[in-house]
Structure formats: C-alpha cells, structure tokens
C-alpha cells in the first residue's frame, strides 16, 4: 500500500509544473521535522555517552588467545555497524536541516528518505541479535558442557532480545515513528491520496511527561524527558531482570534444581 502511494505521488510529480506548497503547510511539516532533528541529536549524544559500556562485555583480559581474537572481531563488527548506520543517520539529518520543501518533488524525496531511514534504523538494532548470540557464547568460552553454562548463555542472550524488542516496539515509535507518520500523512494529504483515519487512544506516560517538560522548558524539555526515560527504563530493566533471576534461583534451590555451590563456581569462571 505504501509503495502504491509512493508511485502515485511520483506520477503526480512527473510533469513540467511543480506546484508550490503553501507556507502554512510547510510550517505544519516543519513541526514534526524539528522534533525528529532534536531526537536525533539527543540519541547521538546518548550513544556517545553509553558507547564505552558496549566494551564491558568483551573479555579482552581472557587467558584464552582465541577468545581475545574473537572478542576483537566482534568489536570491529559492532563499530562497523555503528559507523554505517550513523553515516545514514547524518545524511537524513542534513536532509531535515534543509528548508526547501517548496514542491512535490521535495515532499516526495523527504517522505521516501524518512521511510527508508526508519527501516534501516530497525535493521540496525536487529543486527545486534547475532552479535549478542556470539557475545553470549564468548561469555561461557564456547563450553556448554560445564554445568549451568547453558543457563548463563540463555540469560545473557535473553537480555539482549528484550532490549531489542523494547527499542523496536517503543523507542523507535516515540522518538521517530510518530513524527514520520505525521510527515507522511501531511505529504499524502497535500497530494490528494487516501489517508486512513487516526486511531484514537490515550496519551502514554512518555507523551504526558513530554508535554509537561516542553511546557516548562520548551524544546529542551523534550531532551530532558528523553534522557529521564532512557535512564529510567535502563535501570528498570536491570532491576526487573535481577529480581526475576533471584526469584528463579531461590525457587530452584528450594526445589533442589539448583546447587548454589556449583552455580557460584560457574559464575566465578566467567570473572
């Protein structure tokens, strides 16, 4: 359906006279574009601050030379993914900074770039799943025969899957998806395409706090809201998983499924 809309919009543009977009409509489009730029800047600096944390899980100090080499290889792959993605990220940011959206061609190009960038963004985070799988294997030195190593591998991999799911489900939508939808709807509306009705629903806690901080601090309030939610969700996920793991260990010990001494030895081998 989206492809058909793009084709129809392209056909509308494939003519000699490119109609001017009214100043009012340009301002409507600039509003979500401004929010996209602010969120992109916020995420970039969050990435810079949290980047060192990515190296914590790589056992470069391991006595096994093969593990060190594999760890270095995974780091190179990770940095390669980040450089490629943020090069596309920068390209989109430059497009959003341009004020020229005076014709249908400008709108078509903007809409296409936003939709493509959204898919690349999703693919970027999905690409961390196989890397997390490999990192989880590194954590246990590729030895499944040791007791509880399978459980340690499963927990490590599960944490990554939960983080990727959360990012795709919520982070992408609240940071970019809803603003991209606004731009796409406006572009389609300007070109007379059929627009599905918006789904009515209550504002999420994120949107309510965002509105509050933006009323207090303006556009900077959006950055404050994003950072608070980023840190809060990160802490919540860590605490939640810690609680679940402790609960499972306690239940396992009570039912004689888990031997604490053997589990401690398995964990000590990872340190």
């Amino acid at each position: 359906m989206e492809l058909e809309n793009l084709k129809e919009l392209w056909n509308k543009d494939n003519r000699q006279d490119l109609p001017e977009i009214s100043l009012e409509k340009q301002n409507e489009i600039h509003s979500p574009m401004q929010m996209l730029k602010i969120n992109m800047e916020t995420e970039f600096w969050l990435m810079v601050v949290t980047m060192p944390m990515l190296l914590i899980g790589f056992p470069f100090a391991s006595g096994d030379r093969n593990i060190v080499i594999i760890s270095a290889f995974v780091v190179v792959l990770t940095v390669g993914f980040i450089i490629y993605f943020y090069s596309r990220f920068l390209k989109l940011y430059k497009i959003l900074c341009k004020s020229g959206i005076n014709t249908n061609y400008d709108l078509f190009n903007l809409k296409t770039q936003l939709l493509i960038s959204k898919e690349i963004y999703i693919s970027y985070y999905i690409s961390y799943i196989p890397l997390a799988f490999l990192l989880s294997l590194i954590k246990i030195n590729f030895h499944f025969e040791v007791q509880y190593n399978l459980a340690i591998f499963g927990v490590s991999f599960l944490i990554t899957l939960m983080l990727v799911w959360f990012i795709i489900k919520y982070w992408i939508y609240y940071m970019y998806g809803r603003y991209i939808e606004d731009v796409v709807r406006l572009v389609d509306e300007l070109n007379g395409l059929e627009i599905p009705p918006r789904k009515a629903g209550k504002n999420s806690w994120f949107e309510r706090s965002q509105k509050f901080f933006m009323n207090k601090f303006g556009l900077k309030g959006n950055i404050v809201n994003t950072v608070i939610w980023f840190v809060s969700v990160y802490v919540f996920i860590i605490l939640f998983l810690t609680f679940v793991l402790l609960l499972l260990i306690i239940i396992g010990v009570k039912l004689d499924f888990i031997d604490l001494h053997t589990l401690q030895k398995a964990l000590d081998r990872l340190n």
Side-chain angles (χ1 to χ4, degrees):
M1 185 65 184
E2 195 61 55
L3 182 60
E4 293 176 1
N5 288 344
L6 289 174
K7 288 180 178 178
E8 186 174 343
L9 183 56
W10 175 259
N11 290 332
K12 284 177 176 287
D13 253 353
N14 194 19
R15 56 191 184 191
Q16 296 296 325
D17 57 321
L18 293 175
E20 292 289 322
I21 307 302
S22 69
L23 184 60
E24 180 184 356
K25 290 298 181 182
Q26 289 186 44
N27 290 335
E28 283 188 53
I29 294 175
H30 272 301
S31 180
M33 286 172 58
Q34 179 72 7
M35 295 301 295
L36 282 170
K37 287 190 291 183
I38 292 173
N39 286 340
M40 290 175 77
E41 292 169 3
T42 304
E43 179 172 356
F44 174 78
W45 288 112
L46 283 173
M47 186 275 296
V48 170
V49 171
T50 57
M51 173 69 77
M53 298 175 61
L54 293 176
L55 301 177
I56 294 177
F58 294 94
F60 291 115
S62 173
D64 190 327
R65 184 169 175 271
N66 290 326
I67 296 297
V68 174
I69 292 174
I70 294 173
S71 298
F73 178 68
V74 174
V75 169
V76 171
L77 281 178
T78 303
V79 173
F81 282 141
I82 292 173
I83 291 175
Y84 170 75
F85 170 74
Y86 278 96
S87 66
R88 299 298 300 259
F89 201 71
L90 180 61
K91 178 182 177 182
L92 176 62
Y93 183 80
K94 289 179 177 179
I95 291 174
L96 293 176
C97 288
K98 293 180 180 178
S99 58
I101 50 172
N102 301 319
T103 67
N104 264 351
Y105 177 79
D106 297 325
L107 295 178
F108 172 79
N109 184 52
L110 175 63
K111 176 180 176 179
T112 303
Q113 290 295 332
L114 286 175
L115 292 174
I116 291 175
S117 297
K118 181 181 177 181
E119 295 305 315
I120 291 175
Y121 192 80
I122 294 173
S123 301
Y124 168 71
Y125 281 104
I126 290 178
S127 68
Y128 278 98
I129 295 178
L131 289 176
F133 183 84
L134 182 56
L135 183 57
S136 299
L137 288 174
I138 293 174
K139 280 184 176 292
I140 61 172
N141 292 340
F142 297 89
H143 294 305
F144 280 107
E145 70 274 7
V146 179
Q147 195 171 12
Y148 297 127
N149 266 17
L150 180 59
I152 295 170
F153 165 82
V155 170
S156 302
F157 188 53
L158 181 61
I159 291 173
T160 303
L161 290 180
M162 288 185 64
L163 288 173
V164 171
W165 173 84
F166 172 81
I167 289 171
I168 293 176
K169 180 72 175 179
Y170 297 104
W171 181 262
I172 291 178
Y173 174 75
Y174 287 116
M175 291 289 284
Y176 306 108
R178 56 182 176 150
Y179 302 116
I180 292 175
E181 288 177 5
D182 288 342
V183 173
V184 169
R185 287 179 65 87
L186 286 168
V187 172
D188 289 346
E189 179 185 338
L190 287 170
N191 287 273
L193 299 180
E194 183 179 351
I195 303 174
R198 286 182 179 274
K199 295 180 179 179
K202 294 182 179 179
N203 288 338
S204 65
W205 290 351
F206 179 91
E207 292 169 311
R208 294 173 189 171
S209 61
Q210 181 187 52
K211 184 177 180 180
F212 170 80
F213 282 111
M214 289 186 70
N215 287 336
K216 286 280 187 181
F217 308 108
L219 290 177
K220 290 183 179 178
N222 180 63
I223 299 175
V224 174
N225 182 68
T226 302
V227 172
I228 289 175
W229 275 93
F230 178 86
V231 174
S232 299
V233 170
Y234 179 81
V235 172
F236 172 78
I237 290 176
I238 298 299
L239 292 177
F240 174 76
L241 290 175
T242 302
F243 172 77
V244 172
L245 287 174
L246 287 175
L247 186 62
L248 290 175
I249 291 173
I250 292 172
I251 294 174
V253 171
K254 292 289 185 181
L255 299 177
D256 293 327
F257 290 146
I258 296 177
D259 181 75
L260 278 178
H261 180 68
T262 306
L263 177 61
Q264 184 63 49
K265 287 175 62 178
L267 293 174
D268 289 341
R269 277 193 293 267
L270 299 178
N271 299 325

